[in-house]
Amino acid sequence: MDSPLILIDDKHVPLYRIVWVADLPHWCGDKDCEREGEYEIRLDVEESVWTSLRGRDQVLESLKKWCGDPEDDHDPLF
């Protein structure tokens, strides 16, 4: 991994700040909502950034590389 930072929308976010990543796009039904169809990336301190499906997939892939994927470790305990 080259850097612990990932570009989400127009922000460079440290991977360690990511708490969770939405599996489904946002939908609230509010006619004034500007986030319909976007995916929420929840950060610490009750902050969020929003991205497209492609951006969400890139975040998940970066987290797997940074944290290590147990399926790729070849560790018999996993």
Side-chain angles (χ1 to χ4, degrees):
M1 171 141 248
D2 296 334
S3 172
L5 299 174
I6 185 164
L7 184 64
I8 303 174
D9 192 20
D10 63 345
K11 297 154 192 74
H12 293 273
V13 178
L15 290 171
Y16 65 82
R17 289 200 59 207
I18 298 174
V19 177
W20 54 261
V21 178
D23 195 40
L24 299 173
H26 176 74
W27 185 85
C28 66
D30 186 355
K31 64 180 180 179
D32 295 329
C33 182
E34 296 179 6
R35 299 297 179 196
E36 294 281 324
E38 293 185 345
Y39 292 82
E40 183 177 7
I41 311 286
R42 184 64 148 198
L43 306 177
D44 58 353
V45 195
E46 298 184 27
E47 292 180 87
S48 294
V49 290
W50 299 83
T51 190
S52 64
L53 175 62
R54 184 174 178 201
R56 182 207 66 166
D57 291 345
Q58 290 173 343
V59 169
L60 290 173
E61 188 62 35
S62 292
L63 284 170
K64 282 183 180 180
K65 286 180 185 175
W66 184 62
C67 296
D69 190 349
E71 294 177 9
D72 294 337
D73 286 344
H74 305 293
D75 189 338
L77 295 176
F78 290 101

